[in-house]
Amino acid sequence: MKKKRSGISKNKQKKKYLKQFASTGKSSVNYICLKCGIEEEIPKDVVELIPLFDEGADPLTAPQFTCEKCGGEMYPEYYKNPMGIEFRMSDVR
Ligand SMILES: [Zn+2]
């Protein structure tokens, strides 16, 4: 008995997962820099894809960006992830 096939089916599942997110489009998430207050709209697709590429990412924390202006942390004004967990700017301010 050989178990070689398990790896293949796993990759297939991941691909399907990515495709699902890529097609949900349209909306975007408003990110605000905690340091300088600048706002930036990030497509929701992109926000949702971050945890998939960052294996160390905790699904219980909001995907975060680094501010291009000051290097500070950017946090979503409001974001609900695919698991239904909500993040608000007011949580960190
Ligand atoms: Zn900033």
Side-chain angles (χ1 to χ4, degrees):
M1 292 287 254
K2 289 181 180 179
K3 289 183 180 177
K4 274 191 175 176
R5 281 174 188 259
S6 62
I8 296 167
S9 62
K10 224 177 191 179
N11 280 338
K12 256 187 179 173
Q13 271 182 1
K14 196 174 181 185
K15 216 173 184 183
K16 199 179 170 189
Y17 199 51
L18 283 167
K19 214 175 177 185
Q20 207 179 346
F21 281 136
S23 60
T24 50
K26 290 179 187 173
S27 57
S28 60
V29 181
N30 198 32
Y31 268 74
I32 301 171
C33 176
L34 298 175
K35 215 168 167 186
C36 71
I38 202 168
E39 294 184 22
E40 195 179 336
E41 294 242 317
I42 313 278
K44 210 175 176 188
D45 285 358
V46 176
V47 178
E48 290 180 344
L49 284 171
I50 293 170
L52 299 181
F53 288 107
D54 184 1
E55 287 189 13
D58 185 348
L60 300 177
T61 58
Q64 281 180 260
F65 293 93
T66 303
C67 176
E68 287 179 16
K69 299 268 180 187
C70 72
E73 278 181 53
M74 298 193 82
Y75 201 85
E77 186 176 27
Y78 173 77
Y79 171 60
K80 187 175 180 181
N81 77 9
M83 291 172 71
I85 299 166
E86 295 177 312
F87 304 100
R88 285 184 182 83
M89 195 70 199
S90 55
D91 293 342
V92 291
R93 264 192 170 162

